[in-house]
Amino acid sequence: MIELTRRATFSASHFYWNDAWSAAENQRVFGRCANRNGHGHNYTLEVTVAGEPDPVTGFVVDLKWLKDVMEREVVDVYDHRHLNLEVAEFAKAVPTTENIAIAAWNRLVGVIGNGGAARLTRVRIYETPEIFAEYRGGQ
Amino acid sequence: MIELTRRATFSASHFYWNDAWSAAENQRVFGRCANRNGHGHNYTLEVTVAGEPDPVTGFVVDLKWLKDVMEREVVDVYDHRHLNLEVAEFAKAVPTTENIAIAAWNRLVGVIGNGGAARLTRVRIYETPEIFAEYRGGQ
Amino acid sequence: MIELTRRATFSASHFYWNDAWSAAENQRVFGRCANRNGHGHNYTLEVTVAGEPDPVTGFVVDLKWLKDVMEREVVDVYDHRHLNLEVAEFAKAVPTTENIAIAAWNRLVGVIGNGGAARLTRVRIYETPEIFAEYRGGQ
Amino acid sequence: MIELTRRATFSASHFYWNDAWSAAENQRVFGRCANRNGHGHNYTLEVTVAGEPDPVTGFVVDLKWLKDVMEREVVDVYDHRHLNLEVAEFAKAVPTTENIAIAAWNRLVGVIGNGGAARLTRVRIYETPEIFAEYRGGQ
Amino acid sequence: MIELTRRATFSASHFYWNDAWSAAENQRVFGRCANRNGHGHNYTLEVTVAGEPDPVTGFVVDLKWLKDVMEREVVDVYDHRHLNLEVAEFAKAVPTTENIAIAAWNRLVGVIGNGGAARLTRVRIYETPEIFAEYRGGQ
Amino acid sequence: MIELTRRATFSASHFYWNDAWSAAENQRVFGRCANRNGHGHNYTLEVTVAGEPDPVTGFVVDLKWLKDVMEREVVDVYDHRHLNLEVAEFAKAVPTTENIAIAAWNRLVGVIGNGGAARLTRVRIYETPEIFAEYRGGQ
C-alpha cells in the first residue's frame, strides 16, 4: 500500500461564537476570534489517499481527478466565503480548524470511496503554516 | 548604507465593493471578492529600514523596537479585524493588497522616521505567498 | 507608484548544449546539465507590474487578468514541455535560467504594456528555491 | 523508539506512456504528461529511519552517513537524468511519484537495514510542494 | 479522535562532545559539530495533541493555552541558550535533535496530560528545514 | 543586464556584547542576545551578481563556480563556528545580521569582481525567515 497526498488552498472568513453564551463569555473563551465581523485565513487543504499503484498506469489515483474532487467538494464551497454565514455545516458547529478538517473529510469520503481502489486515509487543514488539524475518520 | 527587514503576520477579513456601482457591476469587476460577507487571508507585513550600522552596537535599528512598532502601529490594528468594517482607512479606500501596503506605510513612516538614523524604505504586504504589493513611499 | 507581484509555477525539461562544441567541451562547461536526455525542474515565474492604484477599484492591475496573461503567455507555452525541443526561443538560445527570464519578459512586455496604466517592471524565474534570475528589461 | 528524517533534492525529467496503448489513449489517460519529449521536476526525497538513540552519541543514526547513503543510492542515480530513458527500474514501470517512492525505498532498505540498529520506516517523494507519495514498505 | 498541531521556533547553540573520548575521537565521530565553541540553529518545535473536539467550543484544546504551555515549558527554557552549558537535561545527554525531541516531550507530557481530554501524541524538532526528529513517547 | 542569485545556508553561534559596557548595560541594550554562552541560528546567505548572459553559454556566471566561491569564501569560514570567538572580522564588530552581510560582501566582492564580466550587486543574510539584512556595497 502507498499513500498519495495533494494540497489545495482557499481563503475564508470565520469567527468563533456560541449563541448560548453572553458576549463577555464568548470574549473570555474565544478572545480576538470572537469578533463578530469575522477575520480570515489562507487555509491549506491536504488530502491523502491510499491504495496499490495500478500496474499499468502507476497511479494510486488519477491526480487530475483528485484535484477536481478537492475543488468541487471543498475548495469551491469554502473559498471566498464566510464559513459561519454561508456554509451549511457551520451553522451549528463552530468553524474551528478541527471542525473544518472533520467537515472536509465528510465531504470527501463518499466521493473518494467511489473513485476506484483508493480510499481516503487523512485530511489536514492548515489554518496558518503554524497550526493544523488532522483527521483520519475517527480512527 | 544597509537595509534591514523584518516580517510579521496578521489575519483579517475583507471584501471588495464600490457603493456607487450596482451589485452586478461589483460582481463583474471584483468577482468572488465582492461577496459582502467577506473572506479572509493570513497577511504578511514586511518592513524594510535603511541606515548605517551603529559602530558600537552593530544595529541599523533595534529589532525589538522595530517589532514593537510593527505590532503597535499595524498588526494590533488589523489582526482579527474586518478591514472594511473596522479599520478607519478602509471606510473609503477598497482594502486591496496595494491599498493595505500604502496604508501600512503611512502608519509607519512617521514613527520610524523618529526612531533614529534609520528611515523607512519599503513596505510589502503578502496577501498570499503568491501575491504581494510593495510600496516605497511613492518613489 | 506601487508594485504588485504575482507568482505561478510550471514544470519543464531542458539540457545545456552547444552544437559548435565537442561532446567533451559541452561536458566540461555544462557538467551534468549537458545530458542530452534532458532533466527537469519545477520553475516559479514571478511577475511584477507598477502603477498607481485606480482610485475607484484600488487596483494597480486586475490580478485575475494578470493571472490569465501569465498563464496564456508563459505557463501554457512552457509547462510540461521540453524547452530545447518544443519552445521556439530556445532553438538557438540555451535555456538557462537567465535566458528563460529574458524570454518570459519578452513574451509579457507587449501584453502588459497594453493592459492599462500598469507597466511590467520585473520578471524572476526560480529554477529551484536556491537559484533565480531577475530581468528588468535591460535596465 | 524515535524517528529521524532527512531531506535531499534532485532534478529529473520523465513522461508517462504505455507502449501497449495508442497515442490517443495515452493522451486521454496521462494528459500533458504523455508528451514524449519529457518534462521535469525538482523532486524532494525524504527518508525516515527509526531506532533508539545511542546512549553515548545521542544518535539514532549518523546523519552524515545517512546523507551519503541517500546521495549514493538515490540522488546520484536520479539527478539530472531522464528517468524513463536512463534509470533501469523505470524501463517498465511508469515513473509516477508513487513508483519513484517505491523504487527509492527498494534502493535504500537493504543499505539502511545494514547501518546498525536503525531501520527504514518511511520514504516520501515530493514531485512538487503540492504533491507527494509516501511508502512504508507495503505496510 | 482528531489531532491538532502547533509550531513554535527557538534559536539555540550546542556542540557534540563526549568527555570520555579523546579530542580526536570526538572529531572523528561528531565532525564539525565537535567544535567546543558551539554553533547554532533556528529550531522548530512542533507539538501534536489528540482528542475529541468539545461539542460547544469546537476545540480539541485551546490553542492559546497550548501556545503558552509550549513557550513556558520549552521555548523559554531553550531560546537564546547554549543547550550544553545552560539546560539541565543536556549536562549529560548530548543535545542531538533526537535527544531534544525526547526532552521536549518529557517537559510537555505531564502538563498537557493535565490540560483536559486532550493528550500529547507527537513532538517534532526540526534542526533545519532538512532534518527533524519525531518522538511519540516511546511507542 | 540581468541578475542571477544563489542561496546557501550555514549554522553558527553568536552573542551581542560590548566590552566597554557593564553587564547591566549589555543586558539592557542587547537583551537575551547578551547571553555570553552564545545562541545560534541557521543563516541563509543570498548572493546576487549582475551582467550580460554570454551569447554562447547563456550564463551570466557559472553557477557551479559561484557555489564554490560562496562555500570557500563564506560558508566554510562561518559554518559550525562561534562567530565572536572564531571569525576574525567579529573580534571587534558585533556579529549582527547587518555586520555579517557587510562582512560577507567584503569576502566576496574581490573574488566575484575577478570572475569575468559579472559583478557582485547584492548580499542578503537571513538570520531567521523573518529577519534579513541586505547590503549593496554602500550604495
Side-chain angles (χ1 to χ4, degrees), chain D residues 112-124:
Chain D
I112 290 176
N114 296 332
R119 67 176 201 280
L120 185 66
T121 56
R122 193 175 71 172
V123 169
R124 273 192 183 178

Side-chain angles (χ1 to χ4, degrees), chain D residues 76-137:
Chain D
D76 287 352
V77 183
Y78 293 170
D79 190 41
H80 280 57
R81 294 291 164 192
H82 191 301
L83 299 178
N84 303 65
L85 305 180
E86 298 185 282
V87 179
E89 56 259 46
F90 304 117
K92 296 289 182 185
V94 182
T96 56
T97 318
E98 297 94 313
N99 280 341
I100 300 172
I102 295 171
W105 171 282
N106 289 336
R107 287 184 168 276
L108 290 165
V109 67
V111 180
I112 290 176
N114 296 332
R119 67 176 201 280
L120 185 66
T121 56
R122 193 175 71 172
V123 169
R124 273 192 183 178
I125 295 285
Y126 288 78
E127 184 180 280
T128 70
E130 310 312 313
I131 294 171
F132 63 87
E134 175 176 319
Y135 189 58
R136 293 177 168 273

Side-chain angles (χ1 to χ4, degrees), chain F residues 68-119:
Chain F
D68 290 345
V69 167
M70 290 166 63
E71 289 185 350
R72 190 182 65 234
E73 303 296 329
V74 181
V75 173
D76 287 352
V77 183
Y78 293 170
D79 190 40
H80 281 56
R81 294 290 164 192
H82 191 300
L83 298 179
N84 303 63
L85 304 181
E86 299 184 283
V87 178
E89 57 259 45
F90 304 117
K92 297 288 181 184
V94 182
T96 57
T97 319
E98 297 93 313
N99 280 341
I100 300 172
I102 294 172
W105 171 281
N106 289 337
R107 287 184 168 276
L108 291 165
V109 67
V111 180
I112 289 176
N114 296 332
R119 69 176 200 280

Side-chain angles (χ1 to χ4, degrees), chain E residues 13-122:
Chain E
S13 192
H14 71 162
F15 61 82
Y16 292 172
W17 192 266
N18 179 359
D19 284 332
W21 293 346
S22 66
E25 182 67 2
N26 275 288
Q27 185 66 37
R28 192 187 62 79
V29 173
F30 293 127
R32 304 195 89 180
C33 293
N35 181 329
R36 293 297 293 268
N37 289 305
H39 64 279
H41 298 287
N42 304 327
Y43 291 92
T44 297
L45 165 70
E46 189 182 285
V47 174
T48 302
V49 301
E52 297 296 335
D54 181 287
V56 176
T57 63
F59 290 172
V60 164
V61 75
D62 180 334
L63 278 167
K64 178 68 174 61
W65 174 84
L66 182 58
K67 185 185 182 188
D68 290 344
V69 168
M70 289 165 64
E71 288 185 352
R72 190 182 65 234
E73 302 297 327
V74 181
V75 173
D76 286 352
V77 183
Y78 294 171
D79 189 40
H80 279 57
R81 295 290 163 193
H82 190 301
L83 299 178
N84 303 64
L85 304 181
E86 298 184 284
V87 180
E89 57 258 45
F90 304 118
K92 296 288 181 184
V94 183
T96 56
T97 318
E98 297 93 315
N99 280 342
I100 300 172
I102 294 171
W105 172 282
N106 289 336
R107 286 183 169 276
L108 292 164
V109 68
V111 180
I112 290 177
N114 296 333
R119 68 176 199 279
L120 184 67
T121 56
R122 193 175 71 173

Side-chain angles (χ1 to χ4, degrees), chain A residues 3 48 105 120-123 134-139, chain D residues 134 136, chain E residues 1-3 136:
Chain A
E3 287 189 314
T48 302
W105 171 281
L120 184 66
T121 56
R122 194 175 70 173
V123 169
E134 176 175 319
Y135 189 58
R136 293 177 168 274
Q139 297 179 301
Chain D
E134 175 176 319
R136 293 177 168 273
Chain E
M1 199 195 75
I2 191 163
E3 286 189 315
R136 293 176 168 274

